[in-house]
Amino acid sequence: MFLRVYIETYGCWLNKADSDAVASMLKENGHEIVHDIEHADAIIINTCAVRSETERKIAKRLQELESWRRENENRKIIVLGCLARARPAFIAHNSPSASIIGPNALPSILKALESRIIDIGPERREIFKLPRCNKSKRLTIPIATGCLGSCSYCIMPISRGKLSSCPPKQIVELFRDAVTRGVKEIYLVAQDLAAYGLDIGYNLPRLLQNLLEHEGDYMIRLGMMEPSTLTSIASDMIKIYSNPHIYKYLHLPLQSGSDRILELMNRKYTASSFIKLVDFFRSSIDDLFLATDVIVGFPTETDEDFEETCKVIEKISPDKVHVARYAMRPFTQASSMPQLSDGVKKARSRILNEIVKEITLKRNLRYVGKEVDVLLTDVAPKGGLSGRMMNYRPVIVRCDDKSMLWKMVTVLIEGAEPHVLIGRTV
């Protein structure tokens, strides 16, 4: 049975990688991926469970698709991913006809194309389906799913389950095939990249050493790493970052600068140990790009707790910060704690975003007047080409020659904004 399948993805890079893996699996089994829903026989919605606003958006979308399906009765809806495992009844309420597939049950997609099924999957991913190379010069490889943490605000232990690392041989084979086929940029993603291999007697530095033995014209971007798991492999990771094929980019979530809140969050580090880890990487890696995440308005967070967070952000001066207002998630410890008002969350978010804007602009202004190497990767939304410096810092280049895409060029930086540099080719 041949079907045309449309895939819609919400959430993180790991979700996007899973969608790519599903697309590869469907193509291998004779189906076609289409990019127009009107041409589809089946629709796959890959869901995210992290944020309540995303959940509401998905609910609205499922209701729309259910109405669409009633007008096209032969077409199928398949709901995949984190929300499908964490809240299957919620999915069924909003889309009674949909098949429901958990993120650790990706192979069940093929059965769902034949008839409606519900398979929220096992607690660990037992079979890894990795995306195949296509014509794109960028490939995202999901090297692990699940985590070792139990953060009090996070629903991921329920939706993704326990840490499950993809066999290194499988990753190495895909990586080498990708580089041989001319892929220029490879993203390695997981919920916690630093935890890779700890469930199979392996580790991230060892995997990366194996990958970097392969010669070629490529760059690797490493995904988010938890401070508590990165600490134990920090020295080995410094050696990895010295390789010219690795973007000098570190995504290290802070979440709070208050030790009291970190303890309530069940994070496994203190503010001072976080700062020490940042200092270690900054002192060892020239021109490191530091990205972090902060949650404001966590239950019982006081003005003093929030001020501690602001102080830590000012201390570490990150290059990018994602500021999120705490959102209560079901089945989590934090959902039973005393909650703060939306007004307090919004006010603190606004204050911290202003601090971040000032810090990131100041850090970007250091590059104005300098010449830097940039890998051009995309057409910029408002004109020109966009690319990344060797530390993954984003740059918009005043150039409309698409033949320059996926080439390394020298760029004179002429302007800076909080989130991007602007320049022209030299």
Side-chain angles (χ1 to χ4, degrees):
M1 178 178 62
F2 164 80
L3 292 178
R4 294 165 298 181
V5 184
Y6 174 86
I7 303 176
E8 192 168 294
T9 307
Y10 296 81
C12 66
W13 279 105
L14 186 55
N15 259 22
K16 293 172 185 175
D18 280 349
S19 289
D20 290 343
V22 167
S24 296
M25 184 169 54
L26 294 174
K27 290 177 184 177
E28 290 169 1
N29 284 271
H31 302 292
E32 179 185 354
I33 304 301
V34 296
H35 302 288
D36 186 340
I37 194 170
E38 294 303 322
H39 298 156
D41 303 306
I43 298 170
I44 296 175
I45 304 295
N46 193 357
T47 61
C48 173
V50 173
R51 306 287 300 171
S52 56
E53 55 263 41
T54 305
E55 183 177 287
R56 290 192 293 270
K57 183 187 293 185
I58 291 170
K60 182 179 179 182
R61 182 59 168 153
L62 291 178
Q63 291 165 11
E64 292 171 353
L65 292 176
E66 194 66 24
S67 299
W68 172 83
R69 195 205 66 84
R70 283 195 290 269
E71 298 173 2
N72 305 268
E73 292 186 2
N74 293 328
R75 296 181 179 179
K76 301 178 183 296
I77 301 173
I78 301 169
V79 181
L80 173 68
C82 294
L83 200 58
R85 177 175 172 82
R87 303 198 65 191
F90 173 86
I91 299 298
H93 173 75
N94 288 285
S95 183
S97 69
S99 290
I100 302 174
I101 310 293
N104 295 334
L106 298 188
S108 292
I109 289 287
L110 298 175
K111 296 178 182 177
L113 291 177
E114 298 175 0
S115 60
R116 181 176 185 265
I117 67 168
I118 297 176
D119 182 1
I120 64 169
E123 193 174 10
R124 297 181 74 252
R125 183 167 293 190
E126 297 167 352
I127 300 173
F128 270 84
K129 293 292 184 180
L130 298 182
R132 298 290 98 189
C133 296
N134 51 34
K135 296 179 181 180
S136 174
K137 295 292 185 179
R138 181 184 290 122
L139 178 67
T140 304
I141 304 178
I143 68 170
T145 186
C147 70
L148 297 173
S150 56
C151 298
S152 63
Y153 55 83
C154 186
I155 198 173
M156 288 296 99
I158 297 171
S159 58
R160 284 278 180 180
K162 295 181 179 179
L163 175 67
S164 179
S165 301
C166 181
K169 182 179 178 182
Q170 199 174 342
I171 298 169
V172 171
E173 287 177 353
L174 174 57
F175 179 89
R176 290 178 175 172
D177 179 61
V179 174
T180 300
R181 291 173 179 266
V183 172
K184 301 289 186 182
E185 197 173 55
I186 298 170
Y187 293 176
L188 301 183
V189 299
Q191 275 175 258
D192 174 12
L193 205 74
Y196 173 79
L198 297 181
D199 57 323
I200 56 174
Y202 211 74
N203 66 26
L204 180 64
R206 188 176 170 189
L207 172 68
L208 291 169
Q209 287 168 0
N210 288 337
L211 298 181
L212 292 167
E213 289 175 359
H214 194 75
E215 295 182 359
D217 181 16
Y218 62 87
M219 293 298 298
I220 297 174
R221 195 209 72 172
L222 303 178
M224 186 180 74
M225 293 184 272
E226 286 292 328
S228 55
T229 46
L230 178 59
T231 298
S232 62
I233 57 171
S235 296
D236 290 333
M237 286 303 296
I238 293 297
K239 298 174 185 176
I240 295 296
Y241 273 106
S242 68
N243 191 290
H245 289 295
I246 299 287
Y247 280 121
K248 308 306 182 277
Y249 168 86
L250 177 63
H251 184 179
L252 196 67
L254 169 64
Q255 305 303 15
S256 177
S258 161
D259 286 345
R260 186 184 76 85
I261 294 298
L262 287 172
E263 185 174 1
L264 286 176
M265 288 178 167
N266 203 24
R267 304 289 284 173
K268 300 175 182 177
Y269 55 87
T270 62
S272 60
S273 67
F274 184 92
I275 293 170
K276 184 177 179 180
L277 186 61
V278 169
D279 288 344
F280 175 70
F281 274 87
R282 278 232 173 101
S283 64
S284 304
I285 304 168
D286 291 337
D287 204 24
L288 179 75
F289 185 101
L290 175 66
T292 194
D293 304 275
V294 172
I295 296 172
V296 297
F298 187 81
T300 78
E301 182 188 65
T302 64
D303 289 341
E304 291 74 20
D305 293 322
F306 176 65
E307 287 172 8
E308 288 299 314
T309 295
C310 294
K311 288 178 182 178
V312 173
I313 289 296
E314 290 171 337
K315 171 75 174 176
I316 63 173
S317 293
D319 299 278
K320 180 181 178 181
V321 184
H322 177 242
V323 179
R325 296 194 294 268
Y326 169 78
M328 186 169 60
R329 302 305 293 133
F331 318 120
T332 62
Q333 293 176 4
S335 65
S336 63
M337 298 177 185
Q339 304 294 309
L340 302 187
S341 70
D342 288 341
V344 169
K345 296 176 190 177
K346 289 178 182 178
R348 290 178 181 172
S349 175
R350 186 166 53 250
I351 292 169
L352 186 54
N353 273 313
E354 286 300 314
I355 293 172
V356 167
K357 185 177 179 180
E358 183 177 339
I359 290 171
T360 54
L361 177 59
K362 184 177 180 180
R363 290 190 65 78
N364 275 349
L365 284 170
R366 298 173 304 149
Y367 294 91
V368 174
K370 295 183 179 181
E371 294 183 0
V372 299
D373 292 330
V374 176
L375 177 62
L376 297 176
T377 59
D378 297 281
V379 176
K382 296 182 180 179
L385 302 178
S386 65
R388 300 283 180 168
M389 290 172 53
M390 293 304 93
N391 61 4
Y392 204 64
R393 190 177 298 276
V395 180
I396 301 294
V397 181
R398 296 187 179 98
C399 173
D400 293 315
D401 183 1
K402 294 182 182 180
S403 67
M404 299 290 287
L405 287 174
W406 297 107
K407 293 181 180 179
M408 191 76 72
V409 300
T410 301
V411 175
L412 173 64
I413 302 302
E414 298 177 315
E417 297 178 4
H419 306 297
V420 70
L421 300 175
I422 302 166
R424 60 177 173 83
T425 56
V426 176

